[in-house]
Amino acid sequence: MSAPDPLRALGAAPGAEGGELRIWSEHADAVELVVFDGEDLDWAVDRVSLARDEHGVWSGRSGALVPGARYAVRVDGPTGVEHAFNPVHDLLDPYARGLVRAGDGSWRGVALGRLGDGDGFDGGGVAPPRVPLDRTVVYETHVRGFSRRNPAVPEALRGTYAGLAHDASLEYLLDLGVTTVELLPVQAFVSEERLIRQGRVNYWGYNTLGFFAPHGAYASAAAQAEGAAGVRREFAGMVRRLHEAGLELVLDVVYNHTAEEDREGPTYSFRGIDNAAYYRHDAHGRYVDTTGCGNTLDFGRAPAVRLVLDSMRYWAGELGVDGFRLDLAATLGRDDHGGFTAEHPLLRGMLDDPVIGAAKLIAEPWDLGPDGWRTGGFPAGFSEWNDRYRDRMRDFWLGDLRRERETGSAGSGIGRFATRLAGSANTFPPERGPLASLNFITAHDGFTLADLTAYDVKHNLGNGEDNRDGTDHNLSYNHGVEGEAADPEVRAARRRSIRNLLGTLLLSAGVPMLTAGDEYGRTQRGNNNAYCHDSPLTWLAWTAEDRPHSAPALRRTVQTLIRLRAENPALRPIRYGVFGETTPSATQMDWYNADGASMGIDDWNSPGERTLQFLAASTPEHEPPNRILLVVHARGADTEVVLPRHDGVVAYAPLWDSALEEPEGSSVRLAPGDRLAVGAWSMQLLRAEPAAVAEGEG
């Protein structure tokens, strides 16, 4: 397998007296650098034929390749079913740090030096927060949609990198209590040809054009007027401001495919530079598509592996981001035969790299290819989106509620719920522990949390695909009325279900991810695939008139749950406990039924037994000892439980009750053996206290 020279960087290295371009193509016969006029992107001011070395790297120097220069490459090569060379195409350097579009729709790279090297950026020496994984609460949002409607952000900054970095945005995030902002794709992207023909846009951004450049349209008008350097500087300034506030930034990155779509799609870069080497093909030269997007980068070859590692190192090392959520990450682990392996050079390279490996690595552990569902299959060092957690918790709180109402029986016991609550040990091996599970109930794709409780079916006609797009496997429940409901009982039941789902998410072992807007009940009116809507449908609402009446109480619930998670290490174990052993930073778990007795087989499996008491004690390593009791009651009638007797526990302090609209604390102390009233379909959190605390001495 031909590989680029590992000793020298690819891309443009501009200088005041000109610079060098290095680009890789295994099969090309000739590569030419073209530098364009700063104003007229069709007027070439210099052309340089590049020379090839033994590694397939083509390089050459131009006196016109100064900082800010606009450039492209033209590549010629053999014909054949796997090739797509055409020397008249102006192609984008895959390593371009900045991008600008020409009038004919083609793209030019913008040559940029290192950030802060003469471009006016001052990093300020701000250290990244490095939030421990067990204390991490991820907030998934869209950089444009987050601040676009916020009147507290200056109008010129709304919907921009600077808007997310504004004081009003930072104060909101800190007040909510999240630690880590995860942005939908901000690497430069374009809308698909189909959407353009329909007059729509790719709002989410999962169609990457350039893996090294921030998306220009998310910069303020003032930064865009300064060109690519201004866009990059504003992005880096956002990172710095988040770090100053103690917040981390994780990027959702799309390395599995490119914006060139299928073989009939546009040629921007990779296809014209070396189609046969960058993309995966079958024996007939057709694209192998494991992404559903028309093409798949070939990670069975070293050049694509290097491209991704170089890109991640740039964003983490030079631009300062704190982690990556890897879209369709199973594709990144497919070898030269197309099979997935956890020891793939790309996955291993991320972990072993001193810069990338120090960042948070979150895998979406599936793709659309053969054997593409790989949840639990990534190596230690990765967290994974846990779709099993999502589906189990939705079905437990919504599907079982529907079944009980319709048949009188919830249909299943509480055992599978408990497995997910305690960290999904049946999915992730012991050496990875519960923090391998990135827990979520909702994400950008799918129903919002409010819509999950208000719609039985998707309502995606506005997407222009006759309601065919978006999943039909929602595990949602509309509580008897589809969409908006006037009945106060229906509305109250929906709010309780939302609180149960939020409570489960934020009190489970693992790393929780909250979707932006779920903290106040955001709706997309039943659209579960709003990828093509850049409008108030997808933007966050900020005023009381635009938010649901119940939004303030719901937001206070989220704040309370995040605070309780931080205060109680028993809720966030780092390791799985081992029965009969004391494992540092694990949780010792005891399970009781409604009568306060240890759970038996019938308690776990019977559909009629839907009440659980989970007593979790931390095994101290870095924090003081802590013990909590979580009471879960998933039946349609109120009940009472007998609080369990346990060595060392002399009192229980109520902390939170999902049956209540407001997250009220309590000064009441209950004793083991006391009876606790529990509302229908609700959960309660209590702190289990030892004698010193109960007596007011601790």
Side-chain angles (χ1 to χ4, degrees):
M1 175 167 46
S2 177
D5 176 359
L7 301 179
R8 298 181 62 194
L10 297 178
E17 303 300 323
E20 181 184 35
L21 176 69
R22 289 168 50 80
I23 191 165
W24 181 85
S25 177
E26 179 181 359
H27 297 103
D29 293 331
V31 179
E32 183 181 54
L33 164 65
V34 185
V35 183
F36 294 90
D37 179 73
E39 300 297 330
D40 186 348
L41 294 180
D42 295 319
W43 178 22
V45 297
D46 194 21
R47 300 176 186 270
V48 176
S49 294
L50 306 187
R52 173 183 172 141
D53 67 14
E54 68 273 23
H55 301 289
V57 175
W58 299 75
S59 62
R61 298 188 61 83
S62 167
L65 197 63
V66 297
R70 286 85 181 284
Y71 70 100
V73 293
R74 294 177 180 173
V75 185
D76 199 3
T79 59
V81 67
E82 288 187 334
H83 298 304
F85 294 110
N86 188 333
V88 304
H89 283 165
D90 292 314
L91 302 172
L92 186 62
D93 169 18
Y95 281 70
R97 266 55 170 175
L99 309 181
V100 62
R101 195 163 202 172
D104 64 357
S106 62
W107 290 84
R108 311 287 185 256
V110 180
L112 299 178
R114 281 192 61 83
L115 179 68
D117 186 7
D119 63 358
F121 179 75
D122 178 10
V126 180
R130 299 291 187 207
V131 179
L133 201 54
D134 68 300
R135 288 183 168 273
T136 298
V137 179
V138 178
Y139 185 80
E140 186 200 44
T141 192
H142 188 287
V143 71
R144 176 167 165 79
F146 179 78
S147 66
R148 182 65 182 83
R149 302 174 71 189
N150 188 351
V153 174
E155 186 172 0
L157 303 184
R158 294 175 196 167
T160 70
Y161 301 125
L164 181 60
H166 188 266
D167 284 348
S169 300
L170 299 177
E171 289 167 7
Y172 180 86
L173 294 166
L174 292 170
D175 188 52
L176 189 61
V178 298
T179 69
T180 305
V181 177
E182 180 182 308
L183 291 181
L184 268 66
V186 296
Q187 292 179 342
F189 66 88
V190 292
S191 295
E192 293 86 343
E193 298 287 287
R194 172 184 60 82
L195 289 176
I196 293 171
R197 289 192 296 270
Q198 294 175 346
R200 293 181 168 86
V201 297
N202 184 326
Y203 172 67
W204 287 350
Y206 291 88
N207 200 45
T208 312
L209 175 69
F211 294 117
F212 291 80
H215 190 60
Y218 292 160
S220 64
Q224 291 185 52
E226 295 181 41
V231 170
R232 185 176 68 167
R233 189 166 56 250
E234 184 172 301
F235 177 88
M238 173 190 69
V239 177
R240 184 189 62 201
R241 289 276 291 155
L242 288 166
H243 286 178
E244 288 172 342
L247 294 165
E248 293 182 309
L249 180 67
V250 168
L251 300 186
D252 194 338
V253 287
V254 188
Y255 292 120
N256 53 77
H257 75 283
T258 80
E260 293 185 308
E261 305 184 38
D262 59 23
R263 284 300 295 265
E264 304 304 315
T267 296
Y268 296 124
S269 177
F270 298 94
R271 181 178 290 128
I273 292 171
D274 200 331
N275 183 68
Y278 273 117
Y279 292 118
R280 193 178 289 280
H281 299 78
D282 65 17
H284 303 286
R286 296 172 298 210
Y287 281 172
V288 174
D289 181 9
T290 64
T291 68
C293 299
N295 66 66
T296 303
L297 284 173
D298 188 353
F299 296 109
R301 301 173 61 93
V305 170
R306 176 180 179 175
L307 173 79
V308 171
L309 294 177
D310 287 349
S311 171
M312 295 176 74
R313 194 178 302 111
Y314 173 69
W315 288 92
E318 191 164 333
L319 301 186
V321 306
D322 302 286
F324 304 91
R325 181 267 188 189
L326 299 155
D327 182 65
L328 297 182
T331 289
L332 309 188
R334 291 187 180 273
D335 59 22
D336 53 352
H337 298 292
F340 176 86
T341 171
E343 292 303 310
H344 190 284
L346 178 51
L347 303 180
R348 193 74 258 159
M350 295 178 194
L351 296 170
D352 293 343
D353 186 276
V355 175
I356 303 169
K360 287 182 166 68
L361 297 174
I362 303 169
E364 183 184 36
W366 52 77
D367 66 13
L368 303 183
D371 199 23
W373 184 81
R374 309 302 306 189
T375 305
F378 279 71
F382 285 86
S383 296
E384 300 176 36
W385 273 29
N386 190 346
D387 54 323
R388 285 182 167 181
Y389 176 94
R390 173 200 64 199
D391 291 353
R392 176 79 290 251
M393 297 319 192
R394 287 186 180 189
D395 200 41
F396 181 81
W397 287 117
L398 298 176
D400 289 354
L401 172 58
R402 179 200 300 273
R403 282 184 283 272
E404 187 192 61
R405 286 188 175 183
E406 293 178 351
T407 70
S409 171
S412 66
I414 205 166
R416 290 186 297 160
F417 170 88
T419 298
R420 298 297 163 198
L421 177 74
S424 297
N426 63 342
T427 299
F428 301 99
E431 63 272 16
R432 296 186 63 192
L435 299 180
S437 179
L438 192 291
N439 297 332
F440 66 111
I441 304 295
T442 65
H444 62 276
D445 53 346
F447 281 143
T448 67
L449 189 56
D451 287 356
L452 202 63
T453 69
Y455 294 90
D456 277 356
V457 296
K458 65 189 180 186
H459 295 263
N460 294 358
L461 283 174
N463 299 351
E465 300 182 47
D466 297 323
N467 214 41
R468 294 188 302 269
D469 64 305
T471 183
D472 293 309
H473 183 65
N474 295 295
L475 298 172
S476 60
Y477 178 41
N478 67 13
H479 293 72
V481 178
E482 187 75 356
E484 290 285 338
D487 188 331
E489 291 188 5
V490 171
R491 295 161 71 98
R494 288 176 175 177
R495 292 195 299 272
R496 180 176 295 198
S497 290
I498 290 173
R499 293 193 298 272
N500 285 331
L501 289 164
L502 286 169
T504 301
L505 173 67
L506 291 166
L507 302 179
S508 291
V511 182
M513 183 184 79
L514 182 70
T515 305
D518 281 352
E519 73 270 20
Y520 68 79
R522 186 177 77 88
T523 180
Q524 289 179 169
R525 301 197 295 274
N527 191 320
N528 74 353
N529 191 37
Y531 72 102
C532 57
H533 294 275
D534 184 3
S535 72
L537 181 73
T538 52
W539 303 337
L540 296 197
W542 289 93
T543 64
E545 307 86 69
D546 292 328
R547 287 187 171 186
H549 176 71
S550 59
L554 184 57
R555 183 166 174 268
R556 286 190 288 270
T557 292
V558 174
Q559 291 172 307
T560 297
L561 288 166
I562 293 175
R563 175 179 56 79
L564 291 172
R565 180 180 183 86
E567 292 173 351
N568 292 279
L571 293 168
R572 40 184 177 81
I574 294 171
R575 301 180 181 92
Y576 292 128
V578 178
F579 183 75
E581 299 180 13
T582 299
T583 304
S585 294
T587 294
Q588 179 183 333
M589 296 177 286
D590 293 280
W591 307 87
Y592 300 93
N593 62 20
D595 297 323
S598 294
M599 295 279 285
I601 293 177
D602 289 342
D603 297 315
W604 286 118
N605 297 322
S606 169
E609 299 295 333
R610 300 272 297 176
T611 305
L612 168 76
Q613 299 191 76
F614 173 45
L615 188 64
S618 66
T619 49
E621 186 176 15
H622 306 295
E623 299 180 75
N626 168 247
R627 184 179 278 136
I628 59 90
L629 178 70
L630 185 64
V631 180
V632 178
H633 175 58
R635 294 290 301 274
D638 297 349
T639 192
E640 288 186 336
V641 301
V642 177
L643 294 174
R645 302 179 187 275
H646 191 87
D647 288 347
V649 177
V650 301
Y652 292 99
L655 300 175
W656 177 72
D657 185 348
S658 74
L660 303 178
E661 294 276 359
E662 287 286 352
E664 301 171 0
S666 174
S667 59
V668 173
R669 292 296 185 270
L670 303 170
D674 284 355
R675 303 187 74 86
L676 175 71
V678 184
W681 290 97
S682 71
M683 60 196 306
Q684 293 188 36
L685 180 70
L686 304 92
R687 184 177 292 116
E689 297 181 341
V693 174
E695 294 168 4
E697 301 172 7

